[in-house]
Amino acid sequence: MIQAPKGTFDVLPEDAARRELLEGHARKILGAAGYRRIETPTFEATELFARGVGEATDIVQKEMYTFDDGAGRSLTLRPEGTAPICRAYIEHGMHKLPQPVKLWYLGRYYRAEAPQRGRYRQFSQVGAEAIGSATPETDAELIVLLADLLEAGGVRRTRLHLSSLGTPETRAEYRAELVAYLRAHESLLSDEVATRIDLSPLRAFDATDAGTREVMQAAPKLLDRLAAEDAQHFAAVRALLDDAGVSYELDPTLVRGLDYYTRTVFEFASDALGAQSGVGGGGRYDRLIEQLDGPPTPASGWAAGIERILLAAGAPPPAAELVDLFVALASPDGRRTAFELSRAARRAGLQAQQELGNRSLKGQLRHADRIGARYVAIVGDGASKGVAGGAAGLVSLKNMESGEQRDTTADEVIPTILRGIRP
Ligand code: HAM
């Protein structure tokens, strides 16, 4: 039996309804702040991610679905949306538009990760990018918008982790300082941390053994090494969040899996999720556009996982849609009337379905009940009742709530239902 590939899933109709609802929240919340929808291709030149996300990242090293297009070009299923949007910004000369250019998106992304709860190989992100502004207000506004979206999506008990990474230069100097500090205290570190000092010194902050933890208490922190302008920028972001009543935890060891970040970085985590606790995150990426051969352009943004939002919210699917009318067939004579009636009902704004099986009338009524139809119109009954030309004209309309049933004409069905459901 052929099954969906590992790490993928089907979105069944109940799930689709929840996803649509969430998309509606995103459209409303981001639209109200002037963000406009953008869509980019599902695959891009591999080089875009290698240069944009960073050669050394796990994403580029291990998680990309890369293939040859048959003409010697290397393409990759997009693992994230920021580099593609920067590519589009450059390609369409969006720097000539009023800045910042504020964009939002929702789509599928692909990472060859080990699947687990909340981690898939094909997943969906909703994201927002503000390109062309360096102000702290942009960062704070983006964070508030994500907080609003998570709230609207029903995600409770989130924690916002916040930090600043400064510039790549500051980070390089800091890294050297941290490596020197770890070397000086090497004998107190766990073997695992000690052997990885040069490779990933920052990981030492995540260690759980007592020796390493004690050493790390006094270790230099990047936040204390920021250049003056970067520290000021960060203080301004924090002040805006404080004013907005958005609480956060300063997390000097917050690492994001992408190399393009500068200054502000943030991540919302939810306890409801377990190991894959990140619901959404992002930050500022002031060098990325230039790195992709565009004009120097500061920018900031975030993305959140649709599946993780839905998992964290755990809300039941929205109530099934109401079926206003089911058109049942008493005899094949009524076929054309049934077809026309259901179409006219839809045009009048009703949710209307017609019999598409070959069920007996009794079976059709049972079906109408199962799908929750409020009214059933039975057509094709005229001949048996001896009505002249009756197949087309006579309709028996049943109100499924009250059980009341009476004969009427096809023309009267829609007005009667409209009066009944919108008195
Ligand atoms: P990211 O943190 O890699 O950031 O991904 C954003 C969100 O996508 C995560 O918080 C998570 O909810 C979801 N996600 C990531 N990988 C998976 C997966 N394998 N399965 C399910 N959900 C996943 C970015 O992608 C950046 N482009 C965000 C950004 C925008 N930064 C600036 N602008």
Side-chain angles (χ1 to χ4, degrees):
M1 194 178 73
I2 300 174
Q3 296 186 323
K6 188 173 165 190
T8 70
F9 52 86
D10 299 307
V11 176
L12 300 176
E14 307 84 80
D15 307 326
R18 294 182 68 198
R19 296 167 79 96
E20 274 166 27
L21 206 62
L22 188 56
E23 178 167 350
H25 292 314
R27 180 175 301 115
K28 194 159 162 242
I29 289 167
L30 296 168
Y35 286 75
R36 298 172 69 209
R37 181 90 182 241
I38 184 169
E39 286 182 35
T40 58
T42 308
F43 51 84
E44 297 270 357
T46 302
E47 191 195 349
L48 174 63
F49 301 112
R51 275 167 62 188
V53 173
E55 284 285 2
T57 59
D58 275 357
I59 293 181
V60 172
Q61 287 287 314
K62 313 183 219 170
E63 298 171 1
M64 298 208 300
Y65 287 101
T66 295
F67 56 97
D68 187 292
D69 75 345
R73 279 175 294 260
S74 177
L75 298 174
T76 292
L77 292 183
R78 59 186 183 184
E80 65 101 47
T82 308
I85 286 175
C86 290
R87 194 260 315 131
Y89 177 93
I90 298 166
E91 189 169 329
H92 300 285
M94 290 193 223
H95 62 279
K96 292 186 213 113
L97 300 175
Q99 306 291 301
V101 174
K102 294 183 286 185
L103 304 165
W104 78 275
Y105 51 99
L106 192 153
R108 303 284 199 178
Y109 295 84
Y110 303 84
R111 295 183 193 177
E113 296 193 80
Q116 62 179 82
R117 185 168 183 263
R119 192 163 75 194
Y120 310 100
R121 292 182 169 176
Q122 174 182 275
F123 56 98
S124 303
Q125 283 187 350
V126 53
E129 314 286 351
I131 306 179
S133 167
T135 68
E137 284 77 6
T138 308
D139 301 14
E141 181 178 277
L142 279 159
I143 292 171
V144 169
L145 289 169
L146 178 51
D148 287 349
L149 177 63
L150 296 178
E151 194 188 319
V155 184
R156 314 263 176 265
R157 292 183 294 129
T158 54
R159 280 166 289 112
L160 169 59
H161 298 262
L162 182 71
S163 191
S164 174
L165 297 180
T167 61
E169 295 76 30
T170 305
R171 279 207 298 284
E173 282 165 29
Y174 166 72
R175 194 180 198 277
E177 184 187 352
L178 182 60
V179 167
Y181 175 85
L182 292 172
R183 283 259 170 269
H185 297 80
E186 203 169 336
S187 59
L188 302 170
L189 302 174
S190 73
D191 287 348
E192 203 197 327
V193 171
T195 52
R196 296 171 63 91
I197 290 180
D198 290 306
L199 211 62
S200 47
L202 280 169
R203 288 270 163 90
F205 283 106
D206 300 329
T208 48
D209 67 284
T212 307
R213 288 184 72 119
E214 193 166 337
V215 172
M216 297 321 286
Q217 294 253 310
K221 306 278 186 316
L222 175 60
L223 272 179
D224 300 324
R225 297 291 184 270
L226 297 183
E229 320 82 79
D230 297 331
Q232 267 162 25
H233 191 277
F234 191 48
V237 173
R238 293 179 56 183
L240 288 163
L241 292 176
D242 292 339
D243 289 350
V246 176
S247 49
Y248 52 82
E249 295 162 27
L250 273 194
D251 184 348
T253 62
L254 178 62
V255 249
R256 308 254 319 119
L258 309 106
D259 276 354
Y260 47 62
Y261 292 113
T262 52
R263 293 190 161 176
T264 318
V265 283
F266 56 92
E267 199 161 272
F268 283 87
S270 164
D271 293 335
L273 281 178
Q276 299 301 315
S277 64
V279 198
R284 182 159 278 289
Y285 49 97
D286 289 341
R287 309 260 179 112
L288 179 56
I289 304 245
E290 203 176 349
Q291 218 167 290
L292 297 172
D293 301 326
T297 311
S300 191
W302 52 256
I306 296 289
E307 293 80 19
R308 289 199 194 166
I309 292 178
L310 295 176
L311 266 177
E321 259 187 56
L322 284 176
V323 180
D324 299 312
L325 172 64
F326 182 77
V327 184
L329 268 183
S331 84
D333 297 347
R335 277 213 171 105
R336 290 168 63 183
T337 309
F339 192 86
E340 276 162 35
L341 181 57
S342 48
R343 181 157 183 254
R346 287 175 211 135
R347 292 184 155 200
L350 299 174
Q351 210 272 34
Q353 303 184 29
Q354 60 171 328
E355 168 63 3
L356 295 174
N358 277 319
R359 277 175 280 243
S360 66
L361 185 57
K362 204 167 145 207
Q364 294 179 54
L365 289 172
R366 229 182 358 247
H367 175 71
D369 194 44
R370 278 189 67 184
I371 63 172
R374 297 161 91 175
Y375 287 87
V376 178
I378 304 164
V379 303
D381 215 8
S384 65
K385 293 192 176 167
V387 178
L394 187 83
V395 174
S396 184
L397 186 63
K398 180 169 183 183
N399 180 328
M400 298 292 276
E401 256 158 53
S402 65
E404 177 202 353
Q405 181 167 353
R406 61 192 178 84
D407 288 345
T408 180
T409 59
D411 292 346
E412 267 310 301
V413 168
I414 293 167
T416 306
I417 296 176
L418 285 174
R419 277 196 302 277
I421 64 174
R422 293 183 214 129

